[in-house]
Amino acid sequence: MPILDYKQLPEALLIEMGDARMRIIPYNDKVIRIQYTKEEDFSAKASMAVVGEPDAETSYNLEDHGDELIFLTAQLNIRINKQSGSFSYYDAGGCLLTSEPARGGKTLESVDVFKSVFDESSNLDTGQGADGLRVRAENIRKTFDRKAYRTKLEFEWADGEALYGLGSHEEGMFNLRGQHQYLYQQNMKAVVPILVSTRGYGIFLDSYSLIMFHDDAFGSYLSSEVDDELDYYFICGPEMDEIVSGVRFMTGKAPMLPKWALGYVQSKERYTSQEELVATVREYRERRLPIDCIVLDWKSWTGELWGQKTLDPDRFPEPGAMTEQLHAMNTRLMVSIWPIMNPESDNHKEMLQHDGLLGNRATYDAFQEKARRIYWKQANEGLFSNGVDAWWCDCTEPFEADWQGAVKPGPEERMIINSDEAKLYLDPELINAYSLLHSRGIYEGQRAESQDKRVVNLTRSAYAGQHRYGTVTWSGDISANWDTMRKQIPDGLNFCATGSPYWTLDIGGFFVQNKPDLWFWSGDYDDGVNDLGYRELYVRWFQYAAFLPLFRSHGTDTPREIWQFGGAGEPFHDALLSFLELRYKMMPYMYSLVARIYRDDYTIMRALPFDFRQDAATYDVDDQFMFGPALLVNPVTRPMYYDVNSKPIEGSVKTRSVYLPHGSKWIDFWENRVYEGGQNLEAEAPLERIPLFVRSGSILPMKNGMQFADDRSDGRLYVRIYGGQSASFDYYEDEGDNYRYESGEYATISMDWNEETRMFTLGDRKGSYPGMANQIDITILLHEPGADGHSITLADKPVIYAGKKHEIAF
């Protein structure tokens, strides 16, 4: 569509195109908002995802070259074809990032929007599914509500370009080139409509309706089903960390998780009583197995009062005393809460009285601020006031409809089934936003109640911006088999590539057994933990999960406590214990990176192109990742010892192929051997370990002997330097579980290794916080290549650090 006129305003460029118009707004030099509408005015609706405002200091220039307009900021320019209105995006150096088709890449197609009417002719069908209480309204009348648009945004992606993002989905896609994906909320789908490219840019489609991504025979585009207008953001990097920073500039900072949330979280379906819950933690402590949190899953309420946010007084007679017992053992309690409520429950009756329910008269309306306040009030009175530390907001896509039957519906059929069900109760323009608003209510409620306990909300769904509400998204009710485990790795990497930093899963898979009459209950191990094949799978899953942002075991069909996998001295038990202890050794490293997530918009779970974008060989490596700047994690994703039913595997090679990215040397964490980057190798992978490599030029602060995240029984800090090149690391400390860090109550120590001078420097400590130790006992351990270039020589020096600059020569 040709451009007829344009108007250059200080804050935006307006473009007229016949019956359509565009507005281009620079939010900063690297983030540009584009709106495209056929209405007289641009939509005035406030975004639910975007909280950032245009930077008043940002300006743009406009050049008219006759056949094209060029919109320029200091870091980005957009060339707009006057004949078609198509965009081409360039960086400041004139390098093409991506472009729309020359014919024009933005489409608006008028659609009629209908809403459901719930009246006396409607009736409710209440039942129990595999995923809990379900209440469905029937005989719903639909009536015309308004006109809106189906939108489409097309691109011509470059050969060799890789794309990541869109959230966490169950198919195990990594590089999204040549793929298609449907974005709607479902048990194993968490939607974040953001793409990140290896060519150095990101795209955020600010839409809450059903979204489709295609890069296949049907075209290369993002489309939304129902929107007032096409509204998206183009973000220039070029590095992926810079793109993530742009996303969080628009959608908000990710607050720090408490330190304890980095420890081990024990869960299962389910601990049925106060006595069992406390006894399980006591068993961990007596066996000296580190733990920081235990989880109380569904049915903690009385009888069938599903969704009631109080504990059954018969099974949990003293909830306050119970949490005090757990806290005395340095363990927190997370409790499962649900958006759906049994009509016989007090919580439901109160919500109904205030007209806070959706059309099925059972699910609370998270889109109403009033309903969110009531929901938090109930959670506070029944749980938080009794010392509960964290939330498990289950079923935050409350209208899934395909979890039934023996045959799994195809992708298009599932999309229709689930999105149509959601549209019965939610505006079709908003079906992806429920979890975002639900999370907002929990976060704002708890922060208004207390500043001394950080919000931790484990939630099954997601949307852009939800990270600012203290959420961790898990991948849903997955099944226990090797194929599922392997697919989880790219699923999590794509989720974190969108700027949402906290993702996890059910270690060992939720469904362990196989039920042929239910397609989703598709585990391979009917004997559960008694099957040596499952024990091997669980160990490998546990080893992988030790490098996830949240380290959590959960599932049904079989118990999950460490001692269920054998006794001390037995191979499966000891392999689990080794990685449980390694997780706690990494606590100083991990917590410093959590601070970077908040302060620097960092991403801790990193697809390889985050750090090695110039190495195209990393673009399709979907089963390896960086855990922070130092560690290359390579999970084992095939059985080596036992098949199903404890059948031994004969002649299996105990290695896995690993690609070591170009541009660094790599040190085997276990054997201290050095390898050049840019090569594939077969790495040793016996049951007790997975291939783990440290990037040369890394500093890795660690601790020993910890039983919980804030265990100070051994106050010594062990700082490992991996030489070969210079390195730096900012070590971070604060109180661990309040929001005073937001006002500057924390301390950092810069750590620097100079390869040329062989000098390690601890900088002056900056800042302070209540309870800070005046001095730290530190052991410095230097790992550096030996004379043959392949082995490692070790040197260690003890230091007493008292807050002032300290230089240690090697």
Side-chain angles (χ1 to χ4, degrees):
M1 186 182 300
I3 293 174
L4 302 180
D5 195 10
Y6 64 87
K7 186 176 182 180
Q8 186 176 1
L9 301 175
E11 71 280 3
L13 173 64
L14 303 180
I15 297 176
E16 293 291 333
M17 306 174 66
D19 66 343
R21 54 203 48 81
M22 285 191 288
R23 179 163 62 182
I24 306 174
I25 307 171
Y27 271 63
N28 63 31
D29 288 338
K30 290 189 171 188
V31 178
I32 309 296
R33 181 185 185 185
I34 297 103
Q35 294 167 275
Y36 181 62
T37 185
K38 288 189 175 182
E39 300 299 311
E40 289 298 320
D41 295 308
F42 296 97
S43 175
K45 288 182 182 177
S47 172
M48 289 182 282
V50 174
V51 294
E53 297 287 344
D55 185 344
E57 300 298 317
T58 300
S59 62
Y60 74 95
N61 293 317
L62 184 69
E63 298 177 1
D64 189 337
H65 290 256
D67 58 347
E68 69 176 5
L69 298 174
I70 304 182
F71 180 97
L72 302 103
T73 71
Q75 298 291 331
L76 179 65
N77 70 74
I78 303 172
R79 300 181 186 180
I80 307 166
N81 185 296
K82 282 189 175 182
Q83 184 59 38
S84 66
S86 66
F87 284 17
S88 296
Y89 303 86
Y90 292 79
D91 66 18
C95 177
L96 177 65
L97 301 174
T98 191
S99 60
E100 298 170 1
R103 56 180 162 74
K106 304 176 188 71
T107 305
L108 295 173
E109 179 185 353
S110 180
V111 294
D112 293 337
V113 181
F114 294 86
K115 66 179 181 181
S116 298
V117 177
F118 301 92
D119 54 25
E120 62 279 355
S121 65
S122 303
N123 59 282
L124 301 178
D125 179 32
T126 301
Q128 182 83 21
D131 204 21
L133 177 69
R134 294 288 166 184
V135 180
R136 192 174 193 275
E138 297 180 339
N139 298 323
I140 302 169
R141 182 166 56 88
K142 292 278 189 175
T143 183
F144 175 79
D145 185 52
R146 66 188 187 279
K147 289 278 189 180
Y149 296 95
R150 182 178 293 114
T151 80
K152 190 175 186 181
L153 178 61
E154 299 177 79
F155 291 93
E156 292 184 337
W157 289 307
D159 292 342
E161 176 179 6
L163 297 172
Y164 310 103
L166 300 184
S168 173
H169 303 269
E170 63 183 285
E171 295 85 6
M173 297 179 195
F174 184 51
N175 181 356
L176 297 170
R177 294 300 307 278
Q179 305 281 5
H180 70 267
Q181 185 61 269
Y182 303 118
L183 276 66
Y184 60 90
Q185 307 287 9
Q186 195 264 351
N187 187 304
M188 295 182 286
K189 294 176 78 69
V191 172
V192 189
I194 292 171
L195 285 172
V196 177
S197 168
T198 54
R199 288 180 68 86
Y201 67 89
I203 300 160
F204 166 31
L205 182 63
D206 193 6
S207 169
Y208 314 90
S209 75
L210 172 65
I211 297 171
M212 298 184 192
F213 166 83
H214 278 270
D215 183 38
D216 53 21
F218 296 98
S220 300
Y221 61 87
L222 284 162
S223 66
S224 69
E225 186 179 55
V226 179
D227 271 306
D228 295 341
E229 61 188 13
L230 175 60
D231 189 358
Y232 69 100
Y233 295 81
F234 190 89
I235 304 163
C236 180
E239 300 305 329
M240 290 190 176
D241 282 311
E242 295 173 290
I243 298 168
V244 166
S245 183
V247 169
R248 295 197 198 147
F249 171 77
M250 299 309 307
T251 60
K253 286 280 187 183
M256 288 185 67
L257 292 181
K259 186 185 289 186
W260 66 259
L262 301 178
Y264 177 60
V265 179
Q266 176 64 61
S267 180
K268 71 173 185 179
E269 189 199 49
R270 57 193 170 85
Y271 297 106
T272 60
S273 69
Q274 177 173 332
E275 181 181 15
E276 183 186 12
L277 201 71
V278 173
T280 301
V281 173
R282 186 178 296 116
E283 185 84 358
Y284 267 88
R285 293 289 176 237
E286 290 174 354
R287 291 174 178 261
R288 291 196 60 77
L289 298 170
I291 187 174
D292 264 277
C293 180
I294 193 163
V295 181
L296 184 54
D297 198 357
W298 61 1
K299 299 186 180 180
S300 59
W301 44 79
T302 300
E304 298 302 317
L305 298 182
W306 198 283
Q308 173 75 11
K309 292 176 282 298
T310 54
L311 303 183
D312 179 2
D314 291 334
R315 293 179 293 125
F316 303 93
E318 298 175 301
M322 177 179 69
T323 57
E324 286 180 7
Q325 284 181 285
L326 295 174
H327 293 165
M329 291 188 285
N330 296 293
T331 306
R332 268 66 173 194
L333 176 63
M334 175 184 287
V335 175
S336 168
I337 57 176
W338 293 66
I340 193 168
M341 291 167 272
N342 186 309
E344 299 301 316
S345 68
D346 292 339
N347 284 179
H348 180 280
K349 293 172 182 176
E350 182 181 22
M351 197 69 77
L352 178 64
Q353 179 184 354
H354 290 89
D355 196 26
L357 296 169
L358 291 168
N360 67 347
R361 313 301 283 171
T363 303
Y364 97 99
D365 185 358
F367 293 90
Q368 287 190 51
E369 182 181 358
K370 172 184 66 176
R372 294 196 301 269
R373 288 199 306 267
I374 295 170
Y375 191 91
W376 166 254
K377 169 181 167 291
Q378 295 170 349
N380 182 36
E381 291 175 351
L383 299 169
F384 191 68
S385 64
N386 283 307
V388 168
D389 302 284
W391 310 104
W392 178 5
C393 286
D394 208 339
C395 203
T396 47
E397 64 303 291
F399 301 114
E400 69 175 24
D402 65 343
W403 271 47
Q404 56 190 336
V407 179
K408 183 177 183 177
E412 290 80 10
E413 186 180 359
R414 294 187 71 196
M415 173 191 69
I416 294 169
I417 290 170
N418 287 295
S419 60
D420 280 358
E421 183 73 10
K423 285 183 280 188
L424 290 176
Y425 311 104
L426 303 176
D427 188 308
E429 194 170 339
L430 302 176
I431 63 169
N432 274 326
Y434 188 92
S435 180
L436 174 66
L437 275 297
H438 184 30
S439 301
R440 176 182 175 180
I442 296 295
Y443 182 81
E444 292 179 346
Q446 182 173 324
R447 290 221 54 176
E449 183 68 26
S450 172
Q451 295 295 305
D452 293 328
K453 189 177 287 189
R454 295 179 196 167
V455 178
V456 178
N457 178 0
L458 182 65
T459 178
R460 202 167 69 186
S461 298
Y463 191 80
Q466 186 171 298
H467 61 261
R468 65 178 178 261
Y469 299 132
T471 57
V472 181
T473 297
W474 99 96
S475 61
D477 297 340
I478 52 178
S479 291
N481 53 65
W482 287 96
D483 182 59
T484 295
M485 180 199 161
R486 191 190 189 288
K487 288 177 178 178
Q488 290 290 285
I489 303 170
D491 287 345
L493 294 176
N494 268 326
F495 183 85
C496 292
T498 66
S500 299
Y502 297 120
W503 182 88
T504 192
L505 45 67
D506 293 347
I507 296 174
F510 182 78
F511 297 113
V512 175
Q513 298 175 352
N514 185 279
K515 295 191 176 182
D517 57 331
L518 295 171
W519 64 261
F520 49 85
W521 209 306
S522 57
D524 284 346
Y525 305 94
D526 287 342
D527 288 336
V529 75
N530 295 317
D531 189 329
L532 298 183
Y534 180 67
R535 291 191 181 193
E536 181 181 353
L537 171 67
Y538 188 89
V539 165
R540 296 307 197 184
W541 218 317
F542 194 91
Q543 291 169 334
Y544 157 50
F547 300 94
L548 296 182
L550 192 84
F551 184 34
R552 164 185 166 273
S553 175
H554 180 66
T556 191
D557 296 333
T558 196
R560 308 292 172 116
E561 297 82 13
I562 302 295
W563 54 86
Q564 305 289 353
F565 294 84
E570 296 182 27
F572 296 110
H573 172 280
D574 286 2
L576 294 173
L577 176 59
S578 173
F579 276 78
L580 180 61
E581 291 178 339
L582 177 59
R583 174 75 174 196
Y584 279 83
K585 289 178 181 178
M586 294 189 296
M587 191 64 67
Y589 173 72
M590 293 188 297
Y591 195 56
S592 296
L593 296 181
V594 166
R596 283 194 64 188
I597 289 172
Y598 172 73
R599 298 168 67 205
D600 305 328
D601 298 322
Y602 190 67
T603 298
I604 189 172
M605 183 180 173
R606 306 166 66 79
L608 295 187
F610 265 86
D611 296 288
F612 308 100
R613 189 172 63 90
Q614 303 305 323
D615 183 356
T618 66
Y619 291 2
D620 294 305
V621 178
D622 61 357
D623 61 349
Q624 303 174 219
F625 60 96
M626 293 296 294
F627 188 60
L631 297 172
L632 176 64
V633 182
N634 310 277
V636 172
T637 58
R638 65 175 178 87
M640 296 178 177
Y641 295 86
Y642 294 96
D643 207 337
V644 177
N645 296 322
S646 302
K647 181 181 179 181
I649 298 175
E650 302 294 337
S652 175
V653 178
K654 310 301 192 294
T655 65
R656 70 145 285 175
S657 178
V658 171
Y659 177 69
L660 300 177
H662 180 74
S664 293
K665 293 180 183 292
W666 296 92
I667 298 96
D668 186 311
F669 181 84
W670 310 108
E671 297 182 348
N672 283 328
R673 288 186 58 81
V674 183
Y675 299 89
E676 291 289 339
Q679 65 167 315
N680 289 287
L681 60 86
E682 285 296 315
E684 295 295 321
L687 180 70
E688 65 270 17
R689 73 187 196 212
I690 61 173
L692 182 64
F693 292 86
V694 188
R695 190 179 183 179
S696 63
S698 293
I699 295 174
L700 196 58
M702 305 181 80
K703 280 198 173 182
N704 288 335
M706 299 179 70
Q707 290 295 299
F708 52 93
D710 204 31
D711 187 350
R712 302 180 185 181
S713 55
D714 180 358
R716 181 166 294 275
L717 184 67
Y718 296 85
V719 178
R720 298 189 182 191
I721 307 166
Y722 288 85
Q725 61 193 79
S726 296
S728 63
F729 189 85
D730 281 340
Y731 177 65
Y732 175 96
E733 288 185 329
D734 65 14
E735 294 176 87
D737 192 7
N738 58 50
Y739 286 99
R740 286 190 279 273
Y741 70 87
E742 293 179 340
S743 56
E745 295 193 20
Y746 60 85
T748 60
I749 304 170
S750 63
M751 299 179 175
D752 294 282
W753 166 250
N754 188 309
E755 182 73 17
E756 183 177 350
T757 64
R758 296 177 56 77
M759 184 74 71
F760 181 70
T761 303
L762 295 164
D764 290 336
R765 180 156 49 192
K766 296 180 180 178
S768 64
Y769 60 92
M772 184 178 76
N774 291 326
Q775 66 180 37
I776 308 173
D777 292 342
I778 302 177
T779 296
I780 315 296
L781 302 103
L782 174 62
H783 301 60
E784 60 179 342
D788 62 359
H790 298 292
S791 63
I792 281 285
T793 62
L794 300 175
D796 65 271
K797 294 191 177 184
V799 173
I800 297 176
Y801 176 77
K804 296 298 182 182
K805 182 177 178 179
H806 198 114
E807 294 184 334
I808 304 98
F810 282 86

